[in-house]
Amino acid sequence: MNSLRKLTAPAFIAALAIAFSGCASMPAENPRLAQLDDKLKTAYGDKYVAEYGQGDLTKAGASLAAARVAWRAGREDETQHEIAMTENHLVLGGIHGEQERVKAETIALKDRLDQIRLASRDAALRDANEKVEIYKSDAVIASAAIQNAQAAAQTAEDKNRVDAVVATAAIQNAQAATQSAEDKIAAMKLQLSVYDLKVTALGATLVLHDVMFDTDSAQLRSGSVDRLEPLISYLRAAPGTTVRIEGHTDDTGSVQHNNELSLDRANAVKRALMVSSTVTNTIDTFGSGQSKPIATNATASGREQNRRVEITLQ
Amino acid sequence: MTPFQRLSPLISGLLLSLAAVPAFAASAELNAQLGIARAQASIDLVSKENPAQTRDRSFTDAQQRLADARIAAEKNHDREALWLASEAELLADVTAGSAKLAGLQHTRAEVAHGIEILNAEIRK
């Protein structure tokens, strides 16, 4: 209602000014005044100027009416003054309207700016959240990797510990075996001290010399079996021991004869050992003839040493 | 009725008119001086608050009109002096309104520029 009232007065003045200009009985219109009529109409057509420059347009309308009256009365100075006032009121009304238009546009731009900032902030927030998720995922992966590494390290440590235990046990076993072997050898040495005993790569080897056989004979001399008694006792106590009996001769006679003789002598010793039903050891015999002399065959004592039976315990 | 009695109304009217002329002249002079004072105040306000606008055409016109008004007032052309003073005051108001409008347009341009910069940053 108020705005209607506000608009009524200037509109009335403008209409009055325009009505004066259209009266046929009046003198010819001043073209400058007609131009100002158009400008006033145009100004009222602008919503910002009409609303916020309303006071200026009212004054412009009044000045224009006064100019027209002065023009018709032939008062040129007053006409020019009122025209100048009309023009400047129109300019000021336009400025006031434009001020409000610019304010409205600025507010709209600020709203737009706020929206963009908000959208930008949301986008930044989304990016940040995505990065957080990625970092979380990386952290989970890294944590899993650390756990795997720790587990692997633990496994390796456990393995090393087990290996160390196994190695220690193996060392202990080896030491025990060594000790056992040494003990066995010591016991063997003690039991078989009557023999010429030596430790070779094949095992403990004892040597029975020619004195057990007659010359060129594979028949054990009487009483020779007694010499085997310590060995029989040992084998009875060590049934797992494998026995290797190898016969040897000097170079007297043919090679074939000596091979046969040496094997026969080995077998003779085997038979003597087997007489005792308590000996269950595995016994293998070999005849090497004159092929493995341990002394010169040029002397009688050398040939005596070469005529021998070697019994290896494995 | 004597001739004087017959003419007395006319003489009274004439005397009254003669008395009113100086009173009217004093009022017109006062109005002119008041108009000049108002115009001067408006121009001073623009100079103080918007010194950058003092080179505007409307402001120099206002100053010129005020100077002309003073000259007219000195010549006892009170009506003309009042017109010129009114025009000077209105031109000073136009200058002040233009200054305010320029400030608002500057603000609008800054906000628009801010939007351009922000959009450019977002596009990156």
Side-chain angles (χ1 to χ4, degrees):
Chain A
M1 191 62 155
N2 282 338
S3 61
L4 183 64
R5 201 175 295 147
K6 282 178 189 171
L7 288 172
T8 305
F12 174 75
I13 291 167
L16 194 64
I18 293 163
F20 270 109
S21 68
C23 185
S25 61
M26 297 292 174
E29 173 66 304
N30 181 332
R32 185 77 189 104
L33 297 178
Q35 285 175 0
L36 289 174
D37 278 334
D38 292 341
K39 282 189 177 180
L40 189 59
K41 272 192 241 175
T42 304
Y44 274 112
D46 185 310
K47 72 170 187 176
Y48 282 100
V49 177
E51 185 172 354
Y52 298 101
Q54 182 188 321
D56 303 303
L57 297 189
T58 302
K59 289 174 184 173
S63 292
L64 183 56
R68 187 159 278 117
V69 170
W71 163 255
R72 290 196 175 120
R75 299 192 295 270
E76 181 59 25
D77 290 348
E78 187 179 348
T79 302
Q80 291 307 315
H81 162 66
E82 294 299 345
I83 284 174
M85 293 299 282
T86 303
E87 285 176 338
N88 285 323
H89 280 305
L90 283 172
V91 169
L92 195 55
I95 287 171
H96 287 150
E98 188 63 17
Q99 285 175 354
E100 295 305 319
R101 191 196 323 277
V102 171
K103 280 183 193 172
E105 288 174 0
T106 304
I107 289 168
L109 286 171
K110 281 182 178 171
D111 287 346
R112 174 74 185 134
L113 184 63
D114 288 344
Q115 286 172 359
I116 293 170
R117 278 183 179 147
L118 201 60
S120 171
R121 212 169 293 141
D122 287 347
L125 197 61
R126 277 198 300 277
D127 286 349
N129 283 335
E130 284 174 10
K131 281 179 182 169
V132 166
E133 290 304 318
I134 290 169
Y135 293 153
K136 276 184 186 171
S137 174
D138 289 349
V140 168
I141 291 167
S143 177
I146 289 169
Q147 284 177 350
N148 286 342
Q150 285 174 340
Q154 186 64 43
T155 302
E157 197 176 317
D158 291 348
K159 188 173 181 301
N160 287 342
R161 199 161 28 238
V162 169
D163 288 349
V165 170
V166 169
T168 303
I171 290 168
Q172 287 173 347
N173 286 342
Q175 286 172 341
T178 304
Q179 188 60 46
S180 173
E182 286 174 353
D183 291 348
K184 278 183 183 175
I185 289 169
M188 191 188 297
K189 279 182 176 176
L190 185 64
Q191 275 187 296
L192 303 178
S193 57
V194 295
Y195 304 114
D196 178 10
L197 186 65
K198 59 182 180 183
V199 177
T200 66
L202 295 174
T205 301
L206 52 92
V207 184
L208 301 176
H209 289 286
D210 187 47
V211 291
M212 292 181 72
F213 299 93
D214 291 325
T215 301
D216 198 26
S217 168
Q219 195 72 38
L220 281 169
R221 288 180 183 170
S222 60
S224 294
V225 176
D226 295 339
R227 285 201 64 198
L228 294 175
E229 199 53 43
L231 178 60
I232 291 168
S233 298
Y234 173 79
L235 292 176
R236 199 176 291 145
T241 303
T242 299
V243 181
R244 171 190 170 91
I245 302 173
E246 185 176 2
H248 302 274
T249 65
D250 59 20
D251 63 350
T252 306
S254 69
V255 171
Q256 184 181 353
H257 174 74
N258 287 334
N259 285 343
E260 291 170 357
L261 179 61
S262 62
L263 182 59
D264 288 345
R265 284 180 169 177
N267 285 329
V269 173
K270 178 180 178 180
R271 277 194 300 277
L273 294 176
M274 298 293 288
V275 165
S276 171
S277 60
T278 55
V279 172
T280 57
N281 302 66
T282 300
I283 300 172
D284 298 318
T285 54
F286 301 90
S288 298
Q290 60 187 45
S291 62
K292 296 177 181 176
I294 57 173
T296 178
N297 282 309
T299 63
S301 64
R303 285 194 294 275
E304 185 181 325
Q305 286 183 65
N306 289 335
R307 292 192 298 272
R308 68 196 190 278
V309 172
E310 291 179 353
I311 302 172
T312 302
L313 307 177
Q314 298 171 322
Chain B
M1 184 177 282
T2 63
F4 179 76
Q5 284 177 322
R6 278 201 301 274
L7 292 173
S8 64
L10 182 63
I11 293 166
S12 298
L14 184 62
L15 290 173
L16 193 62
S17 299
L18 289 172
V21 167
F24 176 77
S27 175
E29 183 183 356
L30 181 61
N31 283 341
Q33 292 303 324
L34 285 172
I36 288 169
R38 277 202 308 270
Q40 183 65 63
S42 295
I43 287 171
D44 289 346
L45 191 64
V46 171
S47 299
K48 183 181 172 187
E49 294 188 350
N50 304 290
Q53 310 300 129
T54 54
R55 281 175 291 184
D56 282 10
R57 172 72 186 273
S58 59
F59 187 76
T60 56
D61 282 354
Q63 286 176 314
Q64 185 60 54
R65 293 283 202 288
L66 180 59
D68 293 343
R70 289 188 196 286
I71 292 168
E74 284 173 7
K75 292 178 180 174
N76 292 325
H77 297 168
D78 295 330
R79 201 172 177 208
E80 185 186 355
L82 180 59
W83 290 345
L84 290 166
S86 300
E87 290 174 21
E89 185 185 357
L90 186 54
L91 285 166
D93 290 344
V94 167
T95 306
S98 297
K100 186 177 177 186
L101 177 59
L104 292 169
Q105 287 170 333
H106 180 69
T107 303
R108 179 181 62 183
E110 280 187 335
V111 176
H113 185 57
I115 289 173
E116 284 177 12
I117 289 174
L118 197 56
N119 278 331
E121 284 178 1
I122 290 169
R123 279 194 294 274
K124 283 178 187 173

